[in-house]
Amino acid sequence: MPKLKVITFGCQANELDSERIAGLLASQGYQAAEAMEEADLIILNTCSIREKAEQKVYSQLGKLQILKRQKAGLVLGLSGCLAQQEGERLKKRFPCLDLVAGPQDIGRIPALLAQARGEESYLPFGNEDWHGIEPCRESRIKAWVGIMEGCDNFCSYCVVPYTRGRERSRPPEDVLLEIEGLLTRGYREITLLGQNVNSYGKGLRPPVTFPELLYRIETLVGGRLWVRFATSHPRDLTPQLVEALAELGSLCEHLHLPIQSGSTRVLRLMNRGYTREDYLARVNLVRSRVPKISITTDIIVGFPGETEGDFQDTLSLLQEARFDNAFSFKYSPRPRTAAAAFPDQLPEGLKSSRLQGVQRLQAQISLEKNRTLLGREVEVLVEGEGERGFLTGRTRQNKIVHFQGSGQKAGGLVLVRLEEAFPYHLKGRVVT
Ligand code: 5AD
Ligand code: SF4
């Protein structure tokens, strides 16, 4: 049987796409390869969100070019956002590439493969019907469930609407059927995925909203597994969604809500559709209804024209919102996006020092937040072995916890007393 290796870059949506690619090719007879060297087909599933993500792909491609020279018959493919963005240009630049398919073309990969082998393709050319593709999942505990694809927001910095296309929502019946299958296979956690999950339902007939989908999922799973979702846009965080978070027992107490900047002026330039005050009001509403909620965010520093004052607004926002964690990035101009053509692009050095400022402050806040949890007994979903005999897992708040194991198995739920706090994880002891 031919062997396949998929190498994934980027976000959770890409991780799911890699599982879809593996699922699709399993139905064509491909088996997973452990090591790159044993693969007959290698697919790089790429990301282009920032320049750095692109560079990682190019350096991996350089290595594969050498491998291909050594191994006759090795087929190389490129999928994902960079494939969509650079398309055929990449085939010219890297003649070692046999096929290129964007995130909307995953269904076409078998046909493209046949074409690359010079075969007459008898396979249907496919389309973007990713709904029907059964992912070949990496984990037996946690599963990604795609509920929508694409994005209509056109934030001025973001390449995603160009790579993943317009928003398409998956019918609720399909989503529920997939979750039912995961329940029977004993999965313990699902994460509903989409670029903008809380605008789920656009274009569906009969109409259905994201909170309505969550209530239907709750009825189905009834506490048998944990439910998470990512990513939400602050503008679409409705009171109904907050109520769902407060009421539904399966929904974990965690919300990833990217703010991007603490300056209303910059938010306007980013085309985000909310002000600093709108955002804070929503965070306060969520916290008043779900006191245990942990909230995480994304921050971009060094957006074109970001002044020292704007940057200070971001720092003060972090102080005010006190996120459990923040993922922060230096602004990177992306092809076709509006902001790439904005005047006043900031020098790299300034972006770096601002990034450091954000990261230093957030590490301190994250540590303080984690310290408030010390002494508590929390449920941990065991994911596997960590370092030096420790087991590792996550809480419903999505906190990473390391604890000394004594026979607990991956997929099990254990009660852990939290004893030591760090910025990005906690340590604890199993309560017997
Ligand atoms: N430059 C830097 N960061 C970006 N992000 C998206 N586009 C860019 C860009 N051009 C960040 C945002 C988003 C996260 C996934 O990546 O913070 O929420
Ligand atoms: Fe990268 Fe964005 Fe594409 Fe995910 S959707 S792979 S983060 S560019």
Side-chain angles (χ1 to χ4, degrees), residues 321-380:
R322 294 187 64 76
F323 297 110
D324 289 83
N325 202 357
F327 302 91
S328 45
F329 312 99
K330 286 191 268 187
Y331 168 74
S332 168
R334 301 285 69 210
R336 300 176 69 187
T337 60
F342 285 1
D344 250 340
Q345 302 280 331
L346 300 195
E348 208 49 35
L350 185 56
K351 290 191 213 174
S352 299
S353 70
R354 287 184 180 172
L355 184 68
Q356 262 185 17
V358 162
Q359 292 182 341
R360 207 175 302 128
L361 173 59
Q362 184 55 44
Q364 187 192 324
I365 295 169
S366 295
L367 177 61
E368 285 163 11
K369 292 281 277 199
N370 283 347
R371 279 193 182 135
T372 65
L373 301 174
L374 295 183
R376 286 207 202 160
E377 292 176 1
V378 292
E379 260 187 317
V380 173

Side-chain angles (χ1 to χ4, degrees), residues 213-226:
L213 178 69
L214 292 175
Y215 280 90
R216 287 176 70 173
I217 291 174
E218 175 79 14
T219 307
L220 173 67
V221 306
R224 282 182 288 168
L225 49 69
W226 289 0

Side-chain angles (χ1 to χ4, degrees), residues 12 142-147 179 188-194 197 210 213-214 217 221 225-232 245 250-256 294 379-381 383 393-400 413:
Q12 299 167 331
K142 313 201 300 181
W144 312 117
V145 176
I147 63 164
I179 297 173
R188 306 308 305 267
E189 179 184 302
I190 55 170
T191 302
L192 309 174
L193 276 191
V197 284
F210 182 52
L213 178 69
L214 292 175
I217 291 174
V221 306
L225 49 69
W226 289 0
V227 181
R228 305 184 185 278
F229 56 85
T231 286
S232 310
L245 274 166
S250 307
L251 261 191
C252 288
E253 293 77 14
H254 172 232
L255 179 65
H256 185 61
S294 84
E379 260 187 317
V380 173
L381 176 59
E383 288 178 12
R394 280 176 196 257
T395 68
R396 290 174 61 93
Q397 295 185 319
N398 211 31
K399 305 271 182 185
I400 297 170
L413 277 180

